[in-house]
Amino acid sequence: MQENINTTCHRLLKEYLNSTMIAIDGTAGNGNDTLFLCQHCHHVYAFDIQPQAKQNTLERCQKMINLTFILDSHEFIDKYVNEPIDVALFNFGYLPKADSSIITQPASSLKAIQAAYALLKPTGRLMLACYIGHAGGQEEHEQIYAWLMKNQITFTQYRTDKPLSPILYECIK
């Protein structure tokens, strides 16, 4: 049985992360990635535009003292984060178990990726999970892939063999 994309992402990051690192969760959602990062890093900046995502994340991470939650678009990462980072993680798409018409948008997602990549330390990780099975997902994925190619970003791609399965890019600066 193949592992899901989030399990793959966490497995890959677990080999890299340590307690001195600074991380960004660019799409906090229900807080699963945020909690994972808080458990392995010194500090985590988590972004989401939805109040429900903030509530869900803060409930899941209630014992974590190393979290700064920003209720704003990830495209403004550079407005809030002014230090080098070791990892940035994005799960593009929509908030699970919520309004699936509220989705990440290619323009803001590309700004977020650019800002996060600029903050990444050498050998830092940029993890991009693209969900292509929902309206707008394929277009966003195509633009993210084009950005990776245009900027000659070194990456490894992971996905299952199921049609329309999510695609994970592990990028190393």
Side-chain angles (χ1 to χ4, degrees):
M1 183 171 164
Q2 295 178 324
E3 63 187 11
N4 71 40
I5 212 74
N6 295 315
T7 302
T8 301
C9 181
H10 289 190
R11 178 178 50 76
L12 294 167
L13 283 177
K14 199 168 187 179
E15 298 170 10
Y16 168 72
L17 296 175
N18 67 58
S19 63
T20 66
M21 294 184 165
I22 306 297
I24 291 174
D25 182 351
T27 50
N30 287 315
N32 295 309
D33 292 330
T34 306
L35 178 61
F36 172 80
L37 292 170
C38 283
Q39 291 169 334
H40 294 90
C41 295
H42 175 70
H43 194 81
V44 177
Y45 297 92
F47 290 80
D48 211 294
I49 61 168
Q50 296 186 68
Q52 184 64 50
K54 179 179 181 179
Q55 180 182 336
N56 296 349
T57 299
L58 293 179
E59 284 176 13
R60 178 157 278 131
C61 299
Q62 61 186 329
K63 294 181 182 177
M64 298 294 142
I65 59 171
N66 58 338
L67 171 63
T68 302
F69 191 97
I70 296 116
L71 187 62
D72 202 352
S73 174
H74 54 210
E75 72 183 298
F76 302 118
I77 283 173
D78 53 1
K79 177 180 169 184
Y80 297 98
V81 182
N82 301 310
E83 63 183 313
I85 63 168
D86 300 282
V87 64
L89 193 158
F90 295 86
N91 262 305
F92 300 105
Y94 58 88
L95 178 63
K97 300 178 184 173
D99 184 351
S100 62
S101 70
I102 302 172
I103 60 172
T104 53
Q105 299 295 319
S108 61
S109 294
L110 288 174
K111 286 179 185 177
I113 293 168
Q114 291 168 348
Y117 194 78
L119 290 169
L120 267 184
K121 294 177 186 174
T123 73
R125 302 300 196 271
L126 178 64
M127 308 299 281
L128 308 171
C130 299
Y131 292 80
I132 60 174
H134 66 86
Q138 183 65 39
E139 176 191 353
E140 185 172 48
H141 167 256
E142 289 170 3
Q143 290 190 34
I144 289 168
Y145 180 79
W147 181 86
L148 292 170
M149 298 305 289
K150 176 184 169 194
N151 291 284
Q152 299 179 332
I153 307 295
T154 301
F155 67 85
T156 304
Q157 177 181 307
Y158 302 87
R159 74 183 304 176
T160 67
D161 56 6
K162 296 178 185 172
L164 300 178
S165 64
I167 301 165
L168 174 66
Y169 294 101
E170 178 188 29
C171 310
I172 302 175
K173 190 167 188 181

